[in-house]
Amino acid sequence: MSRIDNMQNKLPKKSINFTEKKYNYIFNLFLFFYLILGFYFSINTGIATDEPVEQYIWKLNVEAVKDFFGYNENGYLNLFEYEGRYHGIGFHFISQLYLQLIGIITNFERFSEDTSKILLNHSLIFFTYFLSGIFAKKILNLLIKDKLYSNLFLVFYLCYPYLLGHGFYNPKDMPFLFGWILSTYISLRIFLKIYRNENVPLLKFIFLSLSTAFLLSIRIPGFLILLQYLITFIITSNLMKEPFYKILKLYFNKIFIFLFFTLLLTFFSYPIFWKDPMLIFDAMNKMKNFPYGVCTLTLGRCMDAMNLPSSYIFIWLFFKLPFLSLVGLILFPFIEKKIFSQKSNQIILGSILLTIISIIFLLIFLEASLFDELRHILYIVPLILIISFTSIYFFSKKLMLYVAILSIFSFSLQNINMYPYQYTWLNLFSNFINVNNNFELDYWGVSGRNIASKINNNDQLLRHKDECIYVAPKHIIEPFISADYNCVKTFFSIYPKSTEKYILVKYTRNIRRENPSNCELIIEESYNLNLFKDKLTMGKVFICN
């Protein structure tokens, strides 16, 4: 019985209604202001390295569609020859409509149209993060049925720096995470109804089809959600003591409609498949090994995405998961029987747990390409949070309350200190190692905006305003550089060679290389991890001869 239920037993009916309404009002007010602040801070971050690429992919797909209907020549060929041709544009449909609507209301006049769209799109990305928290809370509430602690989980989730950072500007992984959590919630509600022998309306299967297609339309590996559905189906069948085929036969028509619409909507989101649907198999194979030549600094070793050790995922989870999650995972074996004494929890938590284990070991077995720490499997992090929160709750509500409140307080301070680098957050175990030398940091390049601001206000650099600024890629700096500087160029695998002086900008993705020769360090962009230990360097600015 929750704390709110206990209060209700002691208070008169009128007082109960008033107290609950007041509690709901205050909590909803908190969520409203959180959302507004999130929108503000998201559009005031820098531009991530992938964001202009996402805009380019959208344009290529639009041209391919025009070509398909005979209105543009070579549009389809240009898409087919592009390395990232199998990137889905499901989220782009929503974001482009959103940008058209919000563009009527506001725009950043000091930026170009393309830059304005990228920055405004951050608010939509943040909204998907916010919604993922809402539905993660709904999943947890199916397990613990305690409104107070479910709301506490939501605040914890929304304050967790690692997810919050991605929620500000990650244009692909965060919408994908939202799609996974939404699909998980809808599917669990369906299977719980099946278990209770309740009628499952066709509309619920259509909603599941929409959410699943949205997931697949962002990334082809979204088909792994079907594995989760299968696991949940098997668990439900075993608990009902009904043969698998019998349940399948009972819901065959609705499952067929679900699969049909999911496949149809997925193909709609990939114009590359329109001329040759069989390319979907090539897409599955290619995206498993995409891209080439990328490595991620992990415990001091630059681990090649195409040749990862089996420890890669576990290392990053160990340092990225909050302390609460690690405690919950440790306690789980001791509290498992109590949790699973409720058969509905076997369906919910059992399927989530087996899904996480299956996906991790499947990715290791298939030697799937992963890079930029956990960004490509970011969607399993909320699932782990749900498991660990449930574990601690069933072990001790009091412990849950103390640990969650301390975590939220710590997260709040860290978010203020780290902005806009929350996604580089590491847990307290990072205090035992040299983070700068052991882990990937600003691989998104969002430090570009802060670095540009420092360049604009640095008198020493202003004396070199006629010299070129070199940075890779240049779009992380160029939109924010003062008009005093009229030359921004890209350098690639090696530092630029010039007989003249130039300004060099490095951010953490390429900071592992030695500093260039004949260069003087002028600016360093950094923050202190965990408020007091380890100054983490996000970027540097040099004047070079």
Side-chain angles (χ1 to χ4, degrees):
M1 186 178 289
S2 72
R3 186 166 296 188
I4 289 178
D5 291 333
N6 288 329
M7 289 171 61
Q8 289 175 348
N9 290 334
K10 296 176 183 178
L11 295 171
K13 215 167 191 179
K14 286 184 180 180
S15 179
I16 290 171
N17 292 333
F18 176 77
T19 303
E20 189 168 354
K21 284 182 180 179
K22 187 176 180 181
Y23 168 78
N24 290 335
Y25 174 78
I26 293 172
F27 188 73
N28 290 333
L29 195 64
F30 160 77
L31 293 180
F32 173 76
F33 282 110
Y34 175 90
L35 196 57
I36 298 302
L37 286 172
F39 286 155
Y40 172 80
F41 286 114
S42 65
I43 63 177
N44 281 283
T45 61
I47 294 177
T49 54
D50 282 7
E51 291 187 276
V53 177
E54 291 298 315
Q55 293 282 8
Y56 180 67
I57 289 171
W58 167 253
K59 290 176 183 177
L60 278 180
N61 277 274
V62 170
E63 294 304 312
V65 172
K66 290 179 181 177
D67 186 4
F68 183 82
F69 290 104
Y71 294 104
N72 179 47
E73 191 176 351
N74 295 326
Y76 186 86
L77 180 63
N78 291 336
L79 174 61
F80 185 78
E81 292 179 345
Y82 181 62
E83 186 182 26
R85 58 186 173 273
Y86 295 131
H87 285 279
I89 55 171
F91 182 63
H92 294 72
F93 286 115
I94 300 171
S95 66
Q96 293 303 315
L97 177 61
Y98 171 76
L99 291 171
Q100 290 296 323
L101 293 173
I102 201 171
I104 299 171
I105 304 170
T106 185
N107 202 342
F108 295 114
E109 294 182 358
R110 63 193 180 98
F111 298 125
S112 68
E113 182 182 355
D114 286 343
T115 299
S116 294
K117 284 183 176 180
I118 290 172
L119 295 175
L120 289 170
N121 194 46
H122 287 179
S123 58
L124 181 61
I125 295 168
F126 180 79
F127 189 58
T128 64
Y129 165 61
F130 179 81
L131 288 179
S132 74
I134 298 295
F135 284 98
K137 169 206 163 182
K138 287 178 175 292
I139 293 171
L140 180 77
N141 204 45
L142 292 174
L143 289 160
I144 66 175
K145 300 175 181 63
D146 189 319
K147 186 175 180 180
L148 176 64
Y149 282 88
S150 294
N151 286 342
L152 186 66
F153 169 81
L154 178 58
V155 177
F156 174 88
Y157 182 96
L158 294 176
C159 291
Y160 178 26
Y162 179 54
L163 288 182
L164 177 60
H166 284 281
F168 280 147
Y169 35 72
N170 189 329
K172 219 166 188 65
D173 306 303
M174 187 49 66
F176 188 87
L177 178 151
F178 162 66
W180 192 288
I181 296 301
L182 176 62
S183 298
T184 299
Y185 174 70
I186 296 173
S187 65
L188 287 173
R189 291 294 302 268
I190 289 174
F191 283 110
L192 287 172
K193 279 185 171 291
I194 291 173
Y195 170 70
R196 293 165 185 152
N197 289 314
E198 298 175 4
N199 178 51
V200 185
L202 177 60
L203 192 60
K204 285 194 176 293
F205 282 90
I206 292 175
F207 283 151
L208 183 61
S209 177
L210 290 170
S211 66
T212 306
F214 174 74
L215 185 70
L216 287 163
S217 73
I218 298 172
R219 273 209 176 96
I220 285 292
F223 71 84
L224 287 171
I225 193 75
L226 299 178
L227 173 63
Q228 179 174 298
Y229 298 161
L230 178 61
I231 291 170
T232 315
F233 202 152
I234 292 171
I235 293 173
T236 305
S237 174
N238 288 336
L239 288 175
M240 292 178 70
K241 297 180 180 178
E242 291 281 359
F244 185 85
Y245 72 87
K246 190 174 180 180
I247 302 174
L248 193 63
K249 184 179 178 181
L250 184 63
Y251 290 93
F252 179 80
N253 291 337
K254 292 176 180 178
I255 293 173
F256 176 80
I257 291 171
F258 158 74
L259 292 173
F260 175 77
F261 278 106
T262 299
L263 190 62
L264 183 67
L265 291 170
T266 300
F267 269 83
F268 179 71
S269 301
Y270 287 88
I272 190 72
F273 299 149
W274 293 5
K275 287 189 176 182
D276 184 3
M278 299 306 290
L279 283 175
I280 192 170
F281 296 105
D282 182 55
M284 290 179 182
N285 181 61
K286 186 173 178 62
M287 295 311 291
K288 179 176 76 75
N289 300 309
F290 180 88
Y292 304 100
V294 178
C295 68
T296 301
L297 186 63
T298 306
L299 280 185
R301 174 186 164 194
C302 201
M303 294 184 177
D304 186 356
M306 296 293 294
N307 188 31
L308 291 174
S310 56
S311 60
Y312 175 85
I313 295 174
F314 299 106
I315 292 170
W316 279 105
L317 286 174
F318 180 77
F319 283 98
K320 284 290 185 178
L321 289 175
F323 180 72
L324 179 148
S325 285
L326 298 173
V327 171
L329 294 175
I330 291 169
L331 290 175
F332 183 78
F334 304 100
I335 204 69
E336 173 194 359
K337 287 184 179 180
K338 185 176 180 181
I339 297 173
F340 288 150
S341 62
Q342 302 176 40
K343 290 188 177 181
S344 60
N345 286 353
Q346 294 181 38
I347 295 173
I348 302 165
L349 205 63
S351 63
I352 290 175
L353 182 63
L354 289 176
T355 296
I356 294 170
I357 294 171
S358 300
I359 288 175
I360 291 175
F361 283 99
L362 191 62
L363 293 174
I364 293 171
F365 177 75
L366 294 175
E367 298 181 333
S369 175
L370 300 172
F371 59 95
D372 292 350
E373 37 109 340
L374 296 173
R375 57 167 290 200
H376 293 110
I377 53 170
L378 197 65
Y379 56 92
I380 72 170
V381 174
L383 301 179
I384 294 173
L385 294 181
I386 290 169
I387 291 172
S388 54
F389 212 94
T390 304
S391 177
I392 300 177
Y393 175 85
F394 275 91
F395 181 79
S396 169
K397 289 185 183 180
K398 187 176 288 187
L399 176 64
M400 178 77 268
L401 185 66
Y402 293 153
V403 174
I405 290 175
L406 284 173
S407 297
I408 291 167
F409 177 73
S410 173
F411 288 168
S412 300
L413 294 178
Q414 289 173 323
N415 282 322
I416 295 169
N417 173 60
M418 298 179 72
Y419 175 79
Y421 309 118
Q422 281 96 327
Y423 82 97
T424 66
W425 179 89
L426 294 160
N427 61 35
L428 292 174
F429 289 108
S430 63
N431 288 325
F432 300 102
I433 59 174
N434 186 321
V435 176
N436 280 295
N437 294 334
N438 281 281
F439 284 112
E440 200 75 73
L441 295 176
D442 189 24
Y443 55 81
W444 276 127
V446 292
S447 57
R449 188 168 187 169
N450 285 352
I451 290 173
S453 178
K454 289 184 177 181
I455 291 174
N456 296 339
N457 294 293
N458 187 283
D459 292 336
Q460 186 176 354
L461 288 173
L462 279 171
R463 292 197 291 269
H464 297 272
K465 63 184 179 181
D466 295 326
E467 294 154 12
C468 282
I469 298 173
Y470 282 89
V471 60
K474 70 177 185 177
H475 64 249
I476 68 168
I477 289 284
E478 191 172 36
F480 311 108
I481 284 288
S482 164
D484 293 325
Y485 299 89
N486 56 21
C487 178
V488 180
K489 293 183 178 181
T490 299
F491 74 90
F492 297 97
S493 58
I494 59 173
Y495 292 122
K497 293 181 180 179
S498 175
T499 56
E500 301 177 354
K501 282 191 174 183
Y502 61 90
I503 298 170
L504 176 69
V505 177
K506 294 174 60 184
Y507 68 100
T508 313
R509 186 73 198 182
N510 53 48
I511 213 167
R512 292 189 298 272
R513 293 198 300 268
E514 294 296 327
N515 288 333
S517 58
N518 301 318
C519 291
E520 178 188 359
L521 178 63
I522 306 298
I523 293 172
E524 186 172 273
E525 170 69 6
S526 62
Y527 75 90
N528 288 331
L529 181 65
N530 298 325
L531 302 179
F532 57 88
K533 185 172 185 304
D534 279 350
K535 186 172 74 170
L536 301 189
T537 303
M538 297 292 107
K540 295 180 179 181
V541 181
F542 301 85
I543 292 179
C544 303
N545 294 317

